[in-house]
Amino acid sequence: MGALQRFEQRLEDLVSGVFARAFRSAVQPVELSAALQREVDNNSQILSRDRRLVPNDFRVELSAADFERLAQYDDAMARDLAEQLEEHAAAQGYVFPGDVSIAFDRADDLTTGRFRILSAAKASVTGPQPPARQRLRTPDAVLEINGTRHPLLAPGLVIGRGSEADIRINDPGVSRKHVEFEISTHPDGTVQVVATDLGSTNGMTVNGHSMTRAALREGTVVRIGNTDIVVHIEPERS
């Protein structure tokens, strides 16, 4: 029995055949699994001779009818689809930048039996826990990275892939110490945030422009490797 057949059998066993009957004339689990594998195959990026970076964040868009049928099984199905995808990645030498996440959305422009997959590479992000005295006050600025928010406190912090960075991003395109964010407050209360590239291999872009040092404003997007960092500055202080 092949891997896809084992996967489909697990889903049928999970819901005692109800799932298979519900989806008989609609989207089939094995179709989704095969499509997810094609998605990573088509979006792999070479890291080395034997390793390729692939997306790890997936949104499966379904028709209204299929989405309603799936609603009661989506958590269990997402887990099994992720497991199947991880087996495929291991066999192909693919590297995920973080945990695999699969979610389902309703798309009214799709008809029954049709689906669409959107993917992105979202690196896992870890940062230090600020001291208690610093957690008591609202920071002047916050860095948003892949859905996580990190307070930017004076004098600043370093972001990179290595253990010496204050915020670590598991992105192969990020250097061990990639970029430094500095924050200062002028006597008039104006907050200034500056990003400086630390001689990284792949550099950084600020709102799409390659730069080595830049003053940042509210909503500025700094990109390093495959990761976007959005700067948020308190409105009354910016």
Side-chain angles (χ1 to χ4, degrees), residues 89-162:
Q92 298 298 320
Y94 293 154
V95 177
F96 294 115
D99 294 336
V100 175
S101 173
I102 300 175
F104 301 92
D105 290 328
R106 170 176 169 166
D108 293 331
D109 63 321
L110 296 175
T111 56
T112 301
R114 305 286 299 215
F115 61 89
R116 180 166 53 231
I117 295 178
L118 306 176
S119 66
K122 287 192 175 181
S124 59
V125 181
T126 56
Q129 183 71 7
R133 59 184 175 81
Q134 292 182 340
R135 294 198 298 270
L136 294 176
R137 69 181 180 87
T138 302
D140 293 332
V142 172
L143 302 179
E144 182 179 347
I145 313 171
N146 290 349
T148 64
R149 294 172 67 87
H150 304 268
L152 180 58
L153 303 171
L157 51 78
V158 172
I159 296 179
R161 185 166 47 85

Side-chain angles (χ1 to χ4, degrees):
M1 182 182 294
L4 289 179
Q5 287 74 23
R6 291 198 304 273
F7 164 69
E8 195 169 38
Q9 184 63 52
R10 286 201 306 271
L11 285 177
E12 291 184 8
D13 293 343
L14 179 69
V15 293
S16 302
V18 175
F19 185 95
R21 290 195 297 273
F23 276 74
R24 186 161 293 155
S25 60
V27 170
Q28 300 294 320
V30 68
E31 291 181 279
L32 295 180
S33 182
L36 286 166
Q37 292 183 26
R38 287 195 300 272
E39 184 71 12
V40 297
D41 290 341
N42 293 336
N43 290 280
S44 63
Q45 301 178 41
I46 297 176
L47 293 177
S48 65
R49 178 180 176 182
D50 302 316
R51 298 168 69 243
R52 290 174 177 266
L53 176 72
V54 294
N56 63 314
D57 185 78
F58 303 90
R59 304 205 70 81
V60 181
E61 296 186 343
L62 301 163
S63 69
D66 288 329
F67 184 77
E68 292 301 321
R69 289 188 182 95
L70 175 62
Q72 59 183 313
Y73 310 120
D74 57 355
D75 288 343
M77 187 174 179
R79 287 195 299 270
D80 274 0
L81 284 171
E83 180 182 334
Q84 180 70 17
L85 198 57
E86 288 166 354
E87 291 179 6
H88 175 68
Q92 298 298 320
Y94 293 154
V95 177
F96 294 115
D99 294 336
V100 175
S101 173
I102 300 175
F104 301 92
D105 290 328
R106 170 176 169 166
D108 293 331
D109 63 321
L110 296 175
T111 56
T112 301
R114 305 286 299 215
F115 61 89
R116 180 166 53 231
I117 295 178
L118 306 176
S119 66
K122 287 192 175 181
S124 59
V125 181
T126 56
Q129 183 71 7
R133 59 184 175 81
Q134 292 182 340
R135 294 198 298 270
L136 294 176
R137 69 181 180 87
T138 302
D140 293 332
V142 172
L143 302 179
E144 182 179 347
I145 313 171
N146 290 349
T148 64
R149 294 172 67 87
H150 304 268
L152 180 58
L153 303 171
L157 51 78
V158 172
I159 296 179
R161 185 166 47 85
S163 58
E164 60 269 40
D166 299 305
I167 296 178
R168 298 179 62 186
I169 302 179
N170 184 30
D171 180 338
V174 172
S175 297
R176 296 184 64 82
K177 293 177 68 174
H178 198 116
V179 62
E180 181 177 19
F181 286 84
E182 299 171 278
I183 183 169
S184 59
T185 305
H186 293 265
D188 63 359
T190 302
V191 174
Q192 183 178 40
V193 178
V194 176
T196 304
D197 183 88
L198 299 177
S200 65
T201 301
N202 297 316
M204 73 173 184
T205 63
V206 179
N207 288 339
H209 301 283
S210 180
M211 306 182 76
T212 57
R213 182 176 173 85
L216 312 176
R217 298 177 179 271
E218 163 63 28
T220 297
V221 179
V222 177
R223 185 172 181 83
I224 58 175
N226 298 290
T227 301
D228 288 336
I229 303 169
V230 183
V231 179
H232 296 292
I233 302 175
E234 287 294 313
E236 66 274 15
R237 301 171 185 172
S238 60

